């Protein structure tokens, strides 16, 4: 049997400052100290009708019910029970009967405005409809598979809600996305003092990288380096021209694209020791050149020059009529001749009346198709040697990383 003592059990309706103070005892009058870790609620009835449940607070041996939670109750007498719940068990105080308190009418009361049989859930519904004092105090995530739960309490005049929501099950693994593609967009040259920039844009596996790169500071000009660059540019231009010439390769030495004067008894020899052993029987060769001979005829001669200073029978002995501007002829190297070919432009006149006689762009090549003049590739090699010398003066020409010297 539990006993109880109730203090401040009389107050007027809508009084929010009164507190019903309840002390519980054992049947031998020993105070019962409420366990604050348990769940305590006050349940109120009026005569034979249930009204609702209300929150309480615990202070030492005293359980308190604030009149601020009872403002909706009309005047009259009420019964009160305390419900203690812990580990699924519930204890109701007192063991028999109810604890009584009374709400008195205030000056503004009009009977019938509040239904005394409305339970606390109806009161909460009214609060929700009115949109008054509703507050979500927490949203908690529960483990997957837990049961969703919403708890509600009225505290300090607020209708406080706490949502406990289980997290969803782990979803299925998504499909593998496309392999990313990265392409270089714009590359902007920045001033030397600017900071490099990089901007990545795009999506769905396709991205573009735009960059800004500062240019280097202008260095001092080195005369030897400038000379090397000029030679390199010249050689590069000649190689490019050969590639664009349709395949013709000049096998003649000492040719030039500049005009060369023809003096009395002058002759032009197109071969050097490099090609002494190049001519082959049955092979066809073509010679073409630009020639100016205002009044006198000139002669092209091709012969086997194996015996120095001795002219054997000419393979070609072709006259060039005075005034010709461009001349071209084709011949075949015969059997029984050595590989030493001599090509000459002969002036057999002994007088000195050859002002204005000159030639340029002599092209000796294999085959029957004449191409525009280009220098002999071996002669280009000599220019490359000059380039290497210039580079060595700049500190080049060192051993390669593998330890072998470059012979390019």
């Amino acid at each position: 049997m539990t006993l109880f003592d109730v203090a401040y059990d009389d107050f007027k309706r809508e009084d929010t400052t009164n507190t019903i103070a309840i002390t519980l005892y054992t049947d031998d009058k020993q105070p019962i100290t409420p366990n604050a870790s348990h769940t305590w609620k006050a349940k109120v009835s009026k005569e034979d009708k249930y009204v609702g449940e209300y929150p309480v607070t615990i202070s030492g041996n005293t359980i308190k019910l604030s009149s601020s939670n009872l403002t909706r109750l009309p005047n009259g007498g009420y019964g009160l029970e305390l419900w203690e719940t812990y580990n699924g068990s519930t204890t109701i105080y007192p063991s028999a009967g109810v604890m009584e308190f009374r709400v008195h009418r205030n000056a503004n009361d009009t009977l019938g405005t509040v239904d005394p049989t409305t339970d606390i859930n109806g009161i909460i519904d009214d609060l929700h409809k009115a949109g008054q004092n509703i507050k979500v105090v927490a949203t908690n995530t529960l483990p997957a598979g837990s049961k969703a739960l919403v708890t509600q309490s009225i505290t300090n005049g607020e209708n406080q809600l706490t949502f406990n929501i289980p997290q969803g099950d782990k979803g299925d693994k998504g499909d593998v996305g496309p392999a990313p593609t990265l392409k270089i967009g714009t590359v902007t040259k920045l001033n030397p003092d600017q900071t490099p920039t990089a901007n990545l844009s795009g999506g769905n596996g396709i991205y573009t990288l735009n960059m800004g790169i500062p240019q280097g500071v202008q260095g001092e000009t080195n005369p030897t380096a400038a000379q090397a660059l000029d030679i390199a540019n010249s050689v590069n231009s000649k190689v490019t021209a050969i590639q664009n010439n349709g395949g013709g390769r000049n096998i003649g030495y000492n040719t030039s694209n500049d005009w060369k004067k023809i003096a009395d008894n002058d002759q032009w020899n197109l071969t050097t020791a490099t090609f002494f052993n190049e001519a082959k029987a049955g092979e066809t060769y073509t010679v073409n050149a630009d020639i100016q001979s205002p009044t006198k005829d000139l002669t092209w001669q091709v012969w086997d020059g194996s015996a120095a200073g001795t002219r054997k029978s000419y393979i070609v002995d072709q006259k060039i009529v005075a005034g010709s501007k461009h001349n071209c002829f084709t011949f075949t190297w015969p059997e029984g001749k050595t590989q030493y070919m001599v090509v000459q432009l002969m002036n057999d006149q002994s007088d000195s009346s050859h002002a204005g006689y000159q030639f340029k762009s002599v092209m000796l090549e294999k085959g029957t198709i004449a191409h525009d003049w280009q220098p002999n590739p071996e002669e280009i090699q000599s220019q490359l040697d000059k380039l290497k010398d210039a580079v060595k003066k700049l500190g080049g020409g060192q051993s390669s990383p593998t330890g072998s010297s470059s012979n390019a």
Side-chain angles (χ1 to χ4, degrees):
M1 175 76 70
T2 55
L3 304 177
F4 59 90
D5 181 35
V6 180
Y8 310 109
D9 55 352
D10 283 83
F11 54 90
K12 288 193 173 182
R13 199 175 69 81
E14 296 185 357
D15 179 351
T16 61
T17 62
N18 193 71
T19 301
I20 301 175
I22 304 169
T23 304
L24 301 176
Y25 300 93
T26 62
D27 54 1
D28 58 355
K29 292 290 185 175
Q30 296 298 317
I32 298 175
T33 300
N35 191 329
S37 66
H38 296 181
T39 300
W40 292 83
K41 293 182 180 180
K43 294 200 175 187
V44 176
S45 63
K46 184 174 177 61
E47 298 176 352
D48 59 349
K49 298 183 181 298
Y50 174 71
V51 174
E53 65 180 35
Y54 302 89
V56 296
T57 60
I58 296 175
S59 177
N61 292 338
T62 304
I63 301 173
K64 297 180 179 181
L65 172 60
S66 175
S67 63
S68 62
N69 293 327
L70 306 173
T71 56
R72 293 177 58 90
L73 298 182
N75 59 290
Y78 293 88
L80 171 65
E81 294 178 343
L82 293 176
W83 289 48
E84 177 189 17
T85 303
Y86 179 68
N87 282 344
S89 299
T90 300
T91 302
I92 302 175
Y93 304 93
S95 302
V98 295
M99 294 173 275
E100 296 182 352
F101 68 93
R102 186 170 188 83
V103 179
H104 299 273
R105 182 186 300 179
N106 62 36
N108 293 330
D109 275 343
T110 300
L111 292 177
T113 57
V114 178
D115 183 357
T117 64
T118 302
D119 63 12
I120 189 63
N121 295 324
I123 296 174
I124 294 174
D125 288 341
D126 289 344
L127 289 173
H128 285 188
K129 293 177 182 178
Q132 296 176 350
N133 300 327
I134 299 177
K135 181 178 180 180
V136 177
V137 295
T139 301
N140 302 319
T141 301
L142 304 179
S146 302
K147 184 177 180 180
L149 176 65
V150 179
T151 61
Q152 175 272 335
S153 65
I154 297 178
T155 304
N156 298 327
E158 292 180 342
N159 185 10
Q160 298 183 349
L161 302 178
T162 299
F163 291 87
N164 301 279
I165 303 173
Q167 63 182 358
D169 295 332
K170 185 176 181 181
D172 295 335
K173 185 177 181 180
D175 296 333
V176 177
T181 299
L182 177 63
K183 63 179 182 179
I184 301 300
T186 59
V187 179
T188 304
K189 181 173 68 175
L190 306 178
N191 293 330
D193 58 346
Q194 290 184 279
T195 303
T197 62
N199 179 40
L200 188 65
S201 60
N204 296 324
I206 301 176
Y207 304 93
T208 300
L209 178 62
N210 298 316
M211 298 181 291
I213 302 176
Q215 62 181 346
V217 178
Q218 180 65 43
E220 296 182 359
T221 301
N222 185 306
T224 306
Q227 179 187 9
L229 180 60
D230 291 340
I231 296 174
N233 289 336
S234 174
V235 173
N236 182 72
S237 298
K238 291 177 181 178
V239 172
T240 300
I242 290 174
Q243 293 172 340
N244 296 333
N245 194 37
R249 180 182 187 275
N250 195 346
I251 60 175
Y253 268 80
N254 301 322
T255 67
S256 173
N257 202 34
D258 298 325
W259 287 105
K260 181 180 180 181
K261 294 182 180 180
I262 302 175
D264 291 340
N265 298 317
D266 192 14
Q267 68 181 26
W268 180 74
N269 185 346
L270 205 59
T271 60
T272 65
T274 304
F275 283 96
F276 282 171
N277 298 317
E278 286 296 324
K280 294 182 180 179
E283 282 191 338
T284 301
Y285 300 89
T286 297
V287 177
N288 71 91
D290 291 333
I291 302 172
Q292 290 183 354
S293 55
T295 59
K296 302 292 184 179
D297 295 340
L298 301 176
T299 301
W300 278 117
Q301 293 181 345
V302 179
W303 48 283
D304 178 357
S306 59
T310 302
R311 296 184 185 177
K312 297 187 177 182
S313 59
Y314 294 134
I315 298 168
V316 174
D317 188 10
Q318 177 175 300
K319 183 175 292 188
I320 302 172
V321 178
S324 297
K325 297 297 182 182
H326 187 78
N327 182 256
C328 179
F329 65 92
T330 299
F331 63 94
T332 301
W333 195 253
E335 297 283 351
K337 302 294 181 179
T338 68
Q339 295 177 328
Y340 180 14
M341 178 191 300
V342 177
V343 178
Q344 302 180 122
L345 181 62
M346 296 295 295
N347 168 27
D348 293 330
Q349 306 299 325
S350 60
D351 57 57
S352 59
S353 57
H354 293 96
Y357 284 68
Q358 53 187 352
F359 64 94
K360 71 169 186 174
S361 305
V362 180
M363 183 82 166
L364 171 62
E365 54 188 316
K366 294 181 180 180
T368 60
I369 299 176
H371 294 89
D372 294 336
W373 177 86
Q374 295 295 334
N376 186 297
E378 282 71 20
E379 291 183 314
I380 296 178
Q381 180 63 51
S382 68
Q383 297 189 45
L384 288 174
D385 292 339
K386 294 180 182 179
L387 176 60
K388 289 196 294 183
D389 290 339
V391 172
K392 289 178 180 179
K393 292 179 181 179
L394 295 175
Q398 303 299 320
S399 297
S400 66
T402 61
S404 60
S405 298
S406 172
N407 58 7

